[in-house]
Each structure stands twice: as structure tokens, then as C-alpha cells.
Amino acid sequence: MAKRKNKRTKKRKPQKQARQVKQVSSYFYDKMEKVQYLLSQRDWVTAREELLSLHDDYPTNTDVLIDLINISYELNDVRSYQLFCEKLLKYDPDNPDIAYGVSGAYMTNMYPGLALQGFQDYLRRYPDHDHVDKANEAIDRLIGALASDLKQFEPYGDPIDIAADYDRIRLNMERANYQTVYSVANRLLKINPSFVPVLNNLSIADLSQGKFKHASLHLQKALSIEPDNFQAIANMVRSYAMQGQFEAARKEAEKLNALEDDSADFLAKKTEVLSYIGDDEAILETYYQAEAAGYTEKFLPSAIYHFTAVAAIRCGQEALGLELWDKITGQGIPFTVIHQNLEDIKKPINERHGPWAFQINNWLSDKIVAEVRASFGNSDDLNESHVERGLRRILRKYPHILNLLPMMLERGDPLSREFAYDMIRLIKSDALLAHLPDFAMGPYGPHRMRYEALQLAQEHGLLPKQNKFWVNGKQTEVILYNYKIYDSPKFTHPPDVAKLAQEAAIALRIHEGAMAERLLKQAIELLPNVPDLQNNLAMAYRIQGRSDEAYELIMQTHKNHPDYLFSRVAVSEFYVEDGKIEAANELLYPLMERDEYHIAEFSALAGAYIYLYLAWDKPEAAQHWLNMWEQYESPESQELESWRQRIKKYQSKTSSPKKPSKQRRRKESAETSSKKFDLRKLLGL
């Protein structure tokens, strides 16, 4: 792949051409100046985005195309290099460098027929050009590689033209130019109705348009001619998978295992088939089989590296996956698939979607994807009822989508997963909701989406209360329950007691411990043995630094009122301080059986569990509780922020955290004591 030389000495307007869409403006020159700066900084990706935007506005501008070719070269994105060379050749047809470059791109991208035809045309038109010797070498190599095919094509016409037409079918199919695909394919089938590769490619075009019956007819004909044709078998697997018939797809895939073939094309196609049915371990085995056969990246289709990279990461071998992607960035599969995967894997693990082997068009036909986009449009103002109606309409029209949802949730790209999840959460039919538990309890997809799915599944009785949930790449125990959060007063006292209690609460908020103590003791005289008053009196003691008295009162309150949440929470924290982790957990566990909580109760419970799980060396579980708490607490809460920082600090430690001290901290200073407990959660009002 040769880098195109831009011989411009200054910016210039392109020559007037019949198809020029816009006149070049100051906007164009400003953008190009920015691009040149980005290029000087070697910021290829940002420069590429700017140029693609310009290319949309000025599609015939050769300056833009030349820069896009050069950036594609720098990014090793051979697909885009080929595409922009083709476009430039269309607007600059007498440029020998471009003619040579596009032929080289065809060769690199595995279009040998187009490459051979292109190099021959280059030699015919430019016999004295700089790259003639290299072109002759390429032609010799291509003729050797295509020898058997060219010999097979001889009875039907010019073999090189037929080979080029076959590549033309594959190229236009990748670009979804189906009208060209059918036109060229029908031309070839007229001269040879038994041309199995053409039948295979027609079946893929049919599948992309959702024409499953047509695809089946083409594949059946291909297999009647060549029963062991692995391409036809693989396409049959894809057909079943796109219809959600995964059991039939797996049975069809078994036929590939029965074939004795270790060719590079067969092994690559096998990894694709295994990706459709989700057999990651078999994909890795196939890759190692290719390595054992002595293949290197020069001789293996790049798709095998992509499918193996995805499988490796899903099997916990992230380093291998990144290494394989690095080998093939931009070669053989769409640039965006690898680029999006690489961008996704940079995110925190709880925010990742990936890895994924296929985009949404590999699961849904282009026709369905187009209908989805047409139904939803690009407006940000669409409400969920509008989206729901669109999804219901699509599901009625294409009922096979129901069976695709589990695979899209587990292995889809972000768009596939969001489409599948939105369909489930908005329609909420029993058949759709049945797909939620596996997704919610699995490791794939952003934490936010899986947690929401977890709650939705539990609300509909599809999950037990105790489950395992993936957080930060690890499974952690979670307990799900239906509960209501309210903020009305928890206790209703007689007016005279309520007045004293409210005044005491104000005193506690401003850390007037002595005043709060006096008021609370008056209230207790009027209404003795009431847990919220005794609990707040303990808080008044703590504010005054009387930790032992606070401790004794909390323990006594818990003994007299074992179901009172605030004293139970306080005692559990004493246990944690003493290193009695199991005892603290047993003390808190019964509180999970409640159906409703006052907001202060839930805050106290969440804080206690975070404290417990950090001491227990279970930061994922602590994070889970923090996530639940954040749904009900104000985002500006100082206590929430304090716990966020403590969890973050804990997770950033490289060494194991120290065990809790066995020395009780009941003799802390008044300031330390008041910071330890949030006043709101101890007031119990």
C-alpha cells in the first residue's frame, strides 16, 4: 500500500467538474487548515473525522480525497484506502499512481481478480511508469494464486474478467450495493449456472435483505452441486442464526467439524460460524489449529484474528485479544468494528458493552434495521410510548426477532444490545421478559443496563431474592427485593412528646448535645421505652464525647427493641469494629426482608452494608449498595460522596486492606463521633 503524494504547494480550488456539489468557501479552507495542523501533530483519527465531514459536503474534492487516502495509509485502514482510491480515480482517471494504488489495495484486501485486472490495465495504459516492475511481479503472483480458478473459467469466456466480476460481487455486497450484486451475479450465472461461489454470494445478499427463502434456494442448489462446500454450509448456519433458529444452526455447524480441511479460508470461515453460535472455546481451538498448520498473518484471512480476539477476551485472555486486533487493524473487516471495540475496552469494566464480533446488520437484515431507524427517526424528542409502538409494530412484522434477543443481549454490539433491551423493557410481554434473567446475571453489558434488568426481572417474579451479580468483572452476592421508600414521619408521638423530639432533633443537627440530652430525657419521662427517643439520646451522648454511655444505651435499646433498624445498624457497626464480620452480617440480614423503608432507614442500612463489605474485602458488593442508595438519595449528599471516595480509595490500593481493629472506638472525640454517623439516619424521625 503506497502513500499518495500530495504535490500541493498551497491550497487551491479544485477544477470545475460536472458533479461538483458545492463551491469551495472560506469554511472549506478553515477546515482544511485545521486538518493540516492535525496531520502535523499526527492526530490521524481526529483529522479523519474532520475530513469525512468535509467529504460529505465536497464529495468530488480531490484534495480531501488525497488526505483521506494518506490518513488511511497511516492508520493501516486498507479498506478505506481502497475506497478513497476508487473515488479519486473516478475524478482523476488519468492518474497512474492512483491506478497502481487501488490495484494494490485490491490485492491486499483479497480481491485477486480485480487486482489482476487492475494491474494489467495499469501496464497497458502506463508502460513507462515508475511501478511497472512491481506491477509485473504482482501479476505473476496473482496468476499463480489464481491458476486453478482461471483454468476453470476458461470455457466460459475471459477468465480474468470472470474472476474480476466475482470479486465485484463480493465488494458490492460488502457495500450493500445489492442491485449491482444481482446484476453481475446473473451475468455470471447465465454463462455458468453451476457457479457455486456466485450462488453462495447471492445467498448472503439475500440474507442481508431478509430474503430467507431465496437464500435457502440458492444454498440448496449450491450444496446439491458440492455437498461439502464449506462456504455454503457456513451461509446456511448464518441463515438459521439470523432467523433465531440456533439449535438448527448448531446442527448445521457440526457438518464443518466433519470436513477434513485445514486451508486458511476454511479455518477463517469456521471461526465466523462459531461466532454466530457463540462457541468461544472452539474458536480459540480453531485459531491454534491454524497456528499449528504454520499459517502467519500474511496467509490467514484477517477475519480469523478478529473473531479469535473477541473469543479470547470473552475467555479472560484480554492481552491475546488486543494482540490479535493489533495485527489486523483495518485489514479485512470494517475499520469501525475494531475501532469501536478498542474504544469500548478502554472504558471502566462496568461501562463496557464488548467485546462483540458482529454489528447489528449481521443479526438483523438491512431492511429491518432501516425500518427501525425510520420508525424512531433522529429526533431527540421522541417519547417512550412512540418508541414502544414502533417496537411492537416491528415485532409483529418480524416475529423471529423474539428468538434473536438472547444472543443480541449477550453478544451484540451496543446498538444490538440496546435495541434488544428496549424491546423487552418497553413491551414487557411474558415471552420477552423471560430473556431478562440470563442477561441480568451475566457479565456482558454495562452495569447500569444489567442492574436495571435485574430489578425488572425481580419485579416480575423471575428471580429469587438472593443472586450473583457481576460488578467490576467479578461475581458478587446481591439480594433483590421489592421495597418502597417513603419520607413521611416514621413515629407518631403525642403532641407534647413530638414537640420535645423535634426540638431535640434541631439541637442534634447543630451539635448541641447537652441541649438535645435535656429535651430527650424530658420526652422519655413522658413516653418511656420508645426506641427512636433512646437512639437519639445515644447520639446526644456521642456528640458530648460520652461514647461508653452511648454504647450502653444503643445495646440496651437493641436488646429491648431487636427489630428497631437504627439500633440494629449501630450494633452491627460495633461488631465490624471488633472484627466480628459474620456476626454483623447476621444482624443486618433480617432487615432485608422488609417491604418498605423510610428514606433515613434505607440510608442507614445502605451505609451499614457498605461499611461491612469494605471491612469484609468485598468492594463489589459495597459498590452495589452504593448504586442502590444513589437512586434515592440526592446526588449532592455529602455522605454519599464520602462513601464514593472511600470505595474508590479502597479499590485503588495495591495491597490488601488492613483488618478492622479489635479495639472499640467508643472513646473517640466528640468531633470524630459526630462524623462517623450521619445525623439523619440516627434521628429516626
Side-chain angles (χ1 to χ4, degrees):
M1 182 172 69
K3 186 174 180 180
R4 300 272 60 79
K5 294 181 179 179
N6 189 342
K7 298 181 179 179
R8 292 173 292 163
T9 56
K10 61 179 180 178
K11 297 185 181 71
R12 56 180 174 80
K13 294 184 179 181
Q15 296 178 351
K16 291 183 179 179
Q17 298 172 12
R19 298 187 62 184
Q20 186 76 33
V21 176
K22 286 187 177 182
Q23 293 296 320
V24 176
S25 64
S26 58
Y27 163 81
F28 173 84
Y29 291 117
D30 290 342
K31 294 281 277 187
M32 286 298 284
E33 185 174 346
K34 180 179 180 181
V35 167
Q36 298 312 309
Y37 171 75
L38 292 169
L39 293 178
S40 70
Q41 300 299 306
R42 303 179 68 82
D43 188 351
W44 312 120
V45 174
T46 307
R48 186 178 192 267
E49 292 172 356
E50 295 287 344
L51 285 165
L52 287 173
S53 174
L54 276 175
H55 181 57
D56 289 340
D57 291 335
Y58 303 92
T60 64
N61 189 285
T62 56
D63 288 349
V64 173
L65 288 170
I66 288 172
D67 281 339
L68 281 169
I69 290 169
N70 289 336
I71 288 176
S72 299
Y73 173 88
E74 296 292 350
L75 292 172
N76 200 25
D77 182 4
V78 191
R79 293 284 178 175
S80 295
Y81 180 92
Q82 173 189 312
L83 174 64
F84 295 126
C85 278
E86 289 172 337
K87 290 186 175 185
L88 184 57
L89 191 61
K90 182 177 180 180
Y91 302 121
D92 190 4
D94 298 321
N95 189 322
D97 286 312
I98 300 300
Y100 176 82
V102 74
S103 299
Y106 286 144
M107 188 172 178
T108 302
N109 288 328
M110 303 296 182
Y111 299 113
L114 284 172
L116 181 55
Q117 189 181 64
F119 280 128
Q120 286 188 336
D121 185 62
Y122 164 79
L123 290 177
R124 179 180 58 79
R125 297 184 64 192
Y126 313 108
D128 299 321
H129 193 251
D130 298 344
H131 306 305
V132 167
D133 291 340
K134 291 183 179 179
N136 277 313
E137 291 176 8
I139 287 173
D140 290 340
R141 288 171 56 194
L142 288 165
I143 289 176
L146 290 171
S148 60
D149 290 331
L150 295 176
K151 185 175 181 180
Q152 180 184 350
F153 298 155
E154 283 179 357
Y156 307 104
D158 186 318
I160 294 177
D161 288 344
I162 294 174
D165 269 348
Y166 174 61
D167 285 349
R168 205 165 276 115
I169 291 172
R170 295 192 298 118
L171 177 60
N172 282 280
M173 190 162 52
E174 289 177 6
R175 295 176 180 174
N177 297 327
Y178 298 119
Q179 186 174 355
T180 302
V181 169
Y182 288 119
S183 175
V184 178
N186 288 330
R187 183 168 71 228
L188 290 178
L189 288 175
K190 281 183 180 179
I191 62 175
N192 181 12
S194 299
F195 198 173
V196 171
V198 174
L199 292 170
N200 280 331
N201 282 287
L202 274 176
S203 72
I204 297 176
D206 291 333
L207 292 175
S208 297
Q209 296 182 297
K211 299 178 179 179
F212 298 119
K213 291 183 179 179
H214 287 80
S216 180
L217 290 173
H218 286 129
L219 291 171
Q220 288 173 9
K221 183 175 181 180
L223 289 169
S224 69
I225 299 168
E226 297 181 17
D228 292 337
N229 185 280
F230 69 82
Q231 298 281 2
I233 295 173
N235 291 341
M236 192 69 82
V237 173
R238 179 180 177 183
S239 177
Y240 284 131
M242 289 185 69
Q243 296 175 76
Q245 301 175 21
F246 288 102
E247 192 58 39
R250 292 185 183 94
K251 289 182 179 179
E252 194 71 24
E254 290 175 3
K255 296 178 181 179
L256 289 180
N257 293 327
L259 299 179
E260 295 183 2
D261 190 341
D262 62 355
S263 67
D265 288 338
F266 172 78
L267 296 174
K269 182 58 68 173
K270 188 175 178 181
T271 59
E272 178 186 330
V273 166
L274 293 169
S275 296
Y276 271 111
I277 62 176
D279 195 339
D280 296 319
E281 291 183 359
I283 293 171
L284 287 171
E285 290 176 7
T286 303
Y287 172 70
Y288 294 134
Q289 182 184 348
E291 278 194 330
Y295 291 116
T296 64
E297 57 262 37
K298 291 184 178 179
F299 301 101
L300 276 176
S302 54
I304 192 173
Y305 290 99
H306 169 61
F307 295 129
T308 307
V310 172
I313 295 173
R314 290 178 64 88
C315 290
Q317 301 181 47
E318 185 172 308
L320 173 60
L322 293 174
E323 177 187 340
L324 294 174
W325 270 331
D326 187 58
K327 290 177 182 288
I328 52 143
T329 301
Q331 298 181 24
I333 61 172
F335 176 82
T336 52
V337 177
I338 296 178
H339 179 67
Q340 289 172 0
N341 266 290
L342 291 173
E343 288 299 308
D344 183 77
I345 210 168
K346 293 177 184 176
K347 297 177 182 177
I349 193 167
N350 282 341
E351 298 176 19
R352 296 179 191 173
H353 273 278
W356 59 89
F358 302 118
Q359 295 177 299
I360 192 170
N361 292 73
N362 291 91
W363 299 111
L364 302 178
S365 70
D366 294 351
K367 184 179 180 181
I368 297 177
V369 174
E371 289 191 31
V372 170
R373 289 173 177 159
S375 297
F376 299 160
N378 297 317
S379 172
D380 295 330
D381 299 328
L382 294 177
N383 56 42
E384 288 201 336
S385 63
H386 177 96
V387 175
E388 180 187 343
R389 288 194 298 272
L391 290 172
R392 287 184 182 275
R393 183 172 58 251
I394 290 168
L395 187 57
R396 283 194 302 269
K397 193 171 181 180
Y398 308 103
H400 71 276
I401 289 177
L402 177 65
N403 297 322
L404 281 170
L405 298 183
M407 194 65 81
M408 295 175 77
L409 286 171
E410 182 186 352
R411 294 176 175 271
D413 67 336
L415 183 58
S416 301
R417 182 173 285 121
E418 288 165 5
F419 167 79
Y421 181 63
D422 282 347
M423 179 167 281
I424 294 171
R425 75 177 180 85
L426 292 175
I427 297 178
K428 293 188 179 75
S429 70
D430 290 343
L432 289 169
L433 290 169
H435 297 314
L436 275 181
D438 287 343
F439 169 62
M441 307 311 296
Y444 300 107
H447 179 284
R448 168 194 55 79
M449 185 183 290
R450 288 184 292 105
Y451 186 72
E452 185 178 325
L454 196 71
Q455 292 179 310
L456 186 59
Q458 197 278 329
E459 287 173 12
H460 289 270
L462 299 174
L463 285 174
K465 288 188 175 183
Q466 190 162 354
N467 294 280
K468 289 185 176 181
F469 185 69
W470 285 85
V471 181
N472 293 324
K474 299 178 181 178
Q475 279 188 316
T476 184
E477 293 286 342
V478 297
I479 298 176
L480 292 174
Y481 50 96
N482 273 326
Y483 53 79
K484 295 179 181 178
I485 302 296
Y486 62 92
D487 57 6
S488 57
K490 175 70 175 176
F491 290 95
T492 303
H493 296 314
D496 50 350
V497 175
K499 183 174 183 295
L500 291 167
Q502 290 169 1
E503 291 176 357
I506 294 172
L508 288 172
R509 289 192 181 99
I510 61 176
H511 285 217
E512 290 289 343
M515 181 186 297
E517 177 186 355
R518 178 175 56 80
L519 292 167
L520 287 165
K521 284 183 174 179
Q522 292 178 31
I524 290 172
E525 286 183 9
L526 296 173
L527 194 64
N529 200 30
V530 175
D532 65 309
L533 298 177
Q534 293 176 333
N535 191 73
N536 290 344
L537 179 58
M539 185 61 198
Y541 289 155
R542 292 183 69 91
I543 289 177
Q544 298 175 72
R546 295 152 62 184
S547 299
D548 286 339
E549 292 176 76
Y551 173 80
E552 295 299 334
L553 183 55
I554 288 173
M555 297 300 290
Q556 185 63 41
T557 303
H558 174 60
K559 179 180 179 180
N560 295 336
H561 305 278
D563 294 330
Y564 181 61
L565 184 143
F566 292 100
S567 59
R568 183 176 283 262
V569 163
V571 173
S572 78
E573 293 185 349
F574 290 145
Y575 284 166
V576 171
E577 291 170 7
D578 285 348
K580 300 176 181 178
I581 304 298
E582 294 286 355
N585 187 49
E586 291 176 7
L587 196 63
L588 292 175
Y589 189 85
L591 298 175
M592 304 297 295
E593 300 299 322
R594 295 191 181 186
D595 295 325
E596 60 181 25
Y597 297 90
H598 187 275
I599 180 61
E601 290 180 323
F602 187 79
S603 298
L605 184 62
Y609 263 113
I610 294 172
Y611 186 53
L612 167 68
Y613 282 130
L614 288 180
W616 209 348
D617 194 22
K618 295 185 177 183
E620 296 85 5
Q623 182 66 50
H624 170 72
W625 271 98
L626 182 68
N627 294 340
M628 287 198 297
W629 192 0
E630 287 174 333
Q631 297 180 55
Y632 303 104
E633 185 61 87
S634 167
E636 290 78 25
S637 166
Q638 292 183 356
E639 188 175 14
L640 267 182
E641 181 59 28
S642 173
W643 282 118
R644 286 192 199 100
Q645 295 304 319
R646 288 181 68 173
I647 292 174
K648 184 177 180 180
K649 183 178 179 181
Y650 182 94
Q651 292 172 337
S652 67
K653 289 181 180 179
T654 56
S655 58
S656 299
K658 295 180 179 179
K659 293 182 179 180
S661 170
K662 292 189 177 182
Q663 194 71 14
R664 290 193 181 101
R665 302 174 190 171
R666 294 192 295 276
K667 295 184 178 181
E668 296 170 317
S669 66
E671 181 181 1
T672 303
S673 299
S674 65
K675 287 183 179 179
K676 178 175 176 52
F677 295 97
D678 178 63
L679 288 174
R680 222 163 28 93
K681 73 181 184 182
L682 284 178
L683 296 179
L685 296 175

